[in-house]
Amino acid sequence: MVRVALVAYQGGVAEHAYMLRRASEDTGIGVETVYAKRPEHLDNVDAVVLPGGESTTIGRLMARTGLLEKLRHLILDEGAAVLGTCAGAVLLAKRVRDRVRGDTGQPVLAVMDVEVTRNYYGRQRESFEALVKLRDPTGLAPELEEKPFRGVFIRAPAFTRLWGAAEPMGTLGGDTVAAVQGKIVALAFHPELTSDTRLHRLLLRLAKK
Ligand code: GLN
């Protein structure tokens, strides 16, 4: 049984919970979900989902409630698996830039060796769907390489620099739009808005590791 906390301030929380239930059926890994708004909701958790939304707002709320600190401990000291989508991916990055304004200085978890550029696709392409080419550096989800993933991008960021332990996991054109570091998975797009459970299956398998 894997216990997954969904940070529940904003974004597709219910959609992620639904995808986790489906991924549980697909993999046979039992899952229990909990909506997290306060640090005590993160007790005994094996995995965390950071949904999309507005990363500055979510980061500020996480800092104010103490969720930020507890999440960092869970990820860095206890090895919890993490799936961050869109704003959630921004919150994982050690370096956050805005396409227009440069360094944002916003509160983030800063657990992943990546630079994220917010609103990377700008105003012309605020939201779009595109096929993302995925690879599986984890060895846990070979099905990621079988066919491309239909990514839903909404004011999406991109990973503009990776170093250290971060590895690219998905590309769109020449841009990195998915990355993995140990048990941390960061996606510029929204898998919870599709019917493809492959990336949620990966989270469950990472949590079991
Ligand atoms: N542009 C938003 C941010 O950087 C993310 C958008 C989203 O999560 N769909 O916070």
Side-chain angles (χ1 to χ4, degrees), residues 34-45:
V34 48
Y35 285 12
K37 288 189 177 170
R38 290 200 306 273
E40 58 267 33
H41 301 150
L42 295 175
D43 289 340
N44 307 313
V45 148

Side-chain angles (χ1 to χ4, degrees), residues 71-206:
L71 269 176
R72 290 199 83 224
H73 167 71
L74 206 63
I75 297 166
L76 295 177
D77 306 326
E78 315 233 319
V82 190
L83 176 66
T85 59
C86 203
V90 173
L91 291 164
L92 292 167
K94 287 192 178 165
R95 181 136 195 252
V96 183
R97 293 172 55 76
D98 181 273
R99 204 177 169 106
V100 184
R101 285 169 292 154
D103 279 356
T104 63
Q106 65 191 92
V108 291
L109 291 160
V111 292
M112 204 173 183
D113 297 336
V114 296
E115 173 190 86
V116 159
T117 299
R118 291 178 60 192
N119 303 310
Y120 181 80
Y121 296 94
R123 283 169 192 270
Q124 269 75 47
R125 290 180 86 199
E126 276 228 322
S127 69
F128 58 94
E129 288 188 26
L131 290 176
V132 175
K133 191 169 185 288
L134 291 176
R135 47 188 286 270
D136 174 34
T138 70
L140 291 175
E143 72 262 39
L144 290 179
E145 299 183 357
E146 278 167 15
K147 58 172 190 205
F149 198 99
R150 179 161 288 281
V152 178
F153 292 78
I154 305 169
R155 290 187 293 285
F159 304 100
T160 37
R161 213 157 58 80
L162 285 80
W163 65 94
E167 294 178 86
M169 194 172 77
T171 49
L172 179 61
D175 300 320
T176 301
V177 294
V180 62
Q181 177 172 335
K183 293 191 196 177
I184 310 172
V185 176
L187 310 173
F189 52 92
H190 291 270
E192 78 282 11
L193 300 180
T194 68
S195 57
D196 193 333
T197 61
R198 284 180 290 167
L199 289 159
H200 290 83
R201 284 183 234 161
L202 171 62
L203 178 70
L204 296 184
R205 291 187 187 129
L206 285 169

